[in-house]
Amino acid sequence: MMGREFQAIYVMWLRQMKRFVRAKSRIVASIVQPLFFLFILGSGFRVATFEGVSGDYLHFLAPGIITMAIMFSSMFTGVSVLWDKQFGFLQEVLVAPIKRTSIILGRTLGGATTALLQGFIILIISIALGVRIPDIFGFILMLIMMVLISFTAVGFGLIIATKMNDFQGFQIIMNLIIMPLFFLSSAFFPISESLPAWLKAISFANPLFYMVDGMRGSLTGANNVFPPLVDFLVVFFVCIVMMSLGSYFFSKSEA
Amino acid sequence: MDIITTIDLTKKFNDFTAVDHISFSIKKGEIFGFLGPNGAGKTTTIKMLTTLLYPTEGSATLSDFDIIKERDDVRQKIGVVFQEPALDTELTGKENLDFHARMYGLSKDKRKNRINDVLQLVDLVEKKDVLVKNYSGGMKRRLEIARGLMHYPTVLFLDEPTLGLDSQTRRAIWEYIKKMNKEEDTTIFLTTHYMDEADYLCDRVGIIDKGKILVIDTIQNLKNSVGNDVITLSCSELDKFTKRLEKEDWIKNIKRHDLHLTLGVEKGEEKIPAIFEIAHKLKIKIKSISVRKPTLDDVFLHFTGRTMRDFEPESPMKEMAKFYNRRR
Ligand SMILES: Nc1ncnc2c1ncn2[C@@H]1O[C@H](COP(=O)(O)OP(=O)(O)OP(=O)(O)O)[C@@H](O)[C@H]1O
Ligand SMILES: [Mg+2]
């Protein structure tokens, strides 16, 4: 019985790998877009001085861009359940004698694999551009953070996919919620004293802030607001909540 | 033994009742068919029984498992071929089958054998490595059926299995369904628009219309309820003639439909002279008349007051014919 669940998780994962490898344009876009951000923002703001940024701006920016790449790619995996719904394939998955948790696990692992792949490509490019990794424990913590960020985003995508019936809803959530939260996550500029108090409040209530701050703290060990372990605990908690909600809504959904 | 039992099973979409308090049971090992026009609620019923939709009201058991409370157990017992495509078009045909086989826990050897078997059955061996998005409509349908027949479930649901297939493929699939039913004792629940399909495959059929089951019985009993023979005729002054014929007690039932009268009688050939005699007295001219054994079409007309063809909007020729008839 357990064997079957593993088999199912594996084949769900395999399917996503196959689809990912075949969607060439998506691979290119998902890597090129964050690189644009890295280069354009990186060179544009290089000369600017931000309160709370010490050293090269690129080192400040890189962890934010890696987070962004992983987030968007994973969210896309969660939301792509909508595609399966529209193409009817979700029915095939949902009538199979497989536990809902295995289906979600397979999908999440598939999403995480592709997202981490993209994250690593950006990481390697950042290192090539001069970002240095000061210590190995930080690096390991960053890897764990990457996985947690990915899982969180897949969970969030699942919630959207099960609550919406079309892509417009997804677009609206992307533009009106995710993008603003990203700007307030310190990915591009620090949350400094000069921001209005209410914006600062939103920033510190923003889970994305802890993801970016944690990535920054663990990867570069500079410019972070909280100790990486604190960020880690917050992200871990958010991850559990999102995955649970996503799984709950998914297992209750109709096809 | 009953393998499926429903009690007042109901599904509402907002205010619209798609399935309306239906209660029926299906015996283990039988081939049961749901016959009904578009929008009757066939697919919705199947989706509830296969745990894809939650019933609004009522309940059902499949293999003694409750379809609401024991969904995982129910899914262990079933296989489904959906009416609408449910394939991953970015994978090849073979990959789709492999995905299915693994989801249903087939061992490595079995996977290989079964995939080859069913590919052969639906004649897709040569196309197995082509992405499904490059398949024709009929090929997709065939692949879908092949997939449904791959594992041996206790109950197999087939929602309009042969819709849009050529007659040769239909035949092959019918034979396979029969074989599966016999050799594996698979209970089969199918829905169809095709009377010949129901006639050939089903032990019992249920006629469903507007979310309600009108009748369930063996095909033979249903046909008998219409009459041993069916006389179809067209004539002038249809209303007058109908009224007159209703007084004859040897006519088991009369149905008017478009410009035709359908009479259920015993010993049809011997009744034709009597009909002519009555017509003659009323100075009514009979334009055409025929006697035949009742078909499921007649059964359908009998219970719904319409023929199955009335529901099919597809043929422009038919629309023209109607228009033409009306003008006459
Ligand atoms: N998700 C849904 N939301 C709203 N209405 C629905 C939904 N699914 C089905 N219906 C409605 O329920 C009714 C029954 O649909 P169903 O698909 O069960 O019919 P059917 O008997 O399978 O018809 P067909 O022969 O065309 O396949 C239809 O009127 C349909 O419009
Ligand atoms: Mg249907």
Side-chain angles (χ1 to χ4, degrees), chain A residues 254-255, chain B residues 11-14 16-19 34-47 53 83-84 159-160 163 191-193 208 210-211 308:
Chain A
E254 299 184 324
Chain B
K11 181 71 188 180
K12 290 189 181 141
F13 295 108
N14 301 322
F16 177 75
T17 310
V19 173
F34 247 3
L35 218 53
N38 290 139
K42 304 182 293 292
T43 301
T44 308
T45 307
I46 287 190
K47 283 195 175 171
L53 286 177
Q83 180 178 0
E84 284 135 29
D159 201 351
E160 318 250 353
L163 196 70
T191 77
T192 184
H193 279 109
I208 178 170
K210 298 185 184 131
M308 204 66 171

Side-chain angles (χ1 to χ4, degrees), chain A residues 4 7 10-11 15 18-19 22 87-89 91-92 94-98 100 251-252 254-255, chain B residues 11 47 50 52-54 75-76 82 85-88 90-91 95-96 99-100 102-104 131 147:
Chain A
R4 180 190 287 186
Q7 186 79 252
Y10 167 71
V11 75
R15 166 178 179 243
K18 284 183 176 157
R19 287 180 64 110
R22 281 169 202 173
F87 279 95
F89 190 74
Q91 299 187 2
E92 154 79 357
L94 290 184
V95 291
I98 298 299
R100 295 292 189 249
S251 65
K252 287 281 165 222
E254 299 184 324
Chain B
K11 181 71 188 180
K47 283 195 175 171
T50 55
L52 288 179
L53 286 177
Y54 289 94
R75 284 195 283 266
Q76 302 279 352
F82 298 101
L87 298 163
D88 187 336
E90 300 293 328
L91 299 181
E95 284 169 344
N96 266 287
F99 181 91
H100 185 87
R102 286 176 194 267
M103 290 292 268
Y104 285 80
L131 289 185
R147 186 176 66 180

Side-chain angles (χ1 to χ4, degrees), chain A residues 67-92:
Chain A
T67 309
M68 189 174 92
I70 293 175
M71 277 254 345
F72 285 5
S73 170
S74 306
M75 207 146 67
F76 180 82
T77 300
V79 171
S80 64
V81 168
L82 262 181
W83 266 262
D84 281 356
K85 206 190 228 169
Q86 228 138 59
F87 279 95
F89 190 74
L90 188 62
Q91 299 187 2
E92 154 79 357

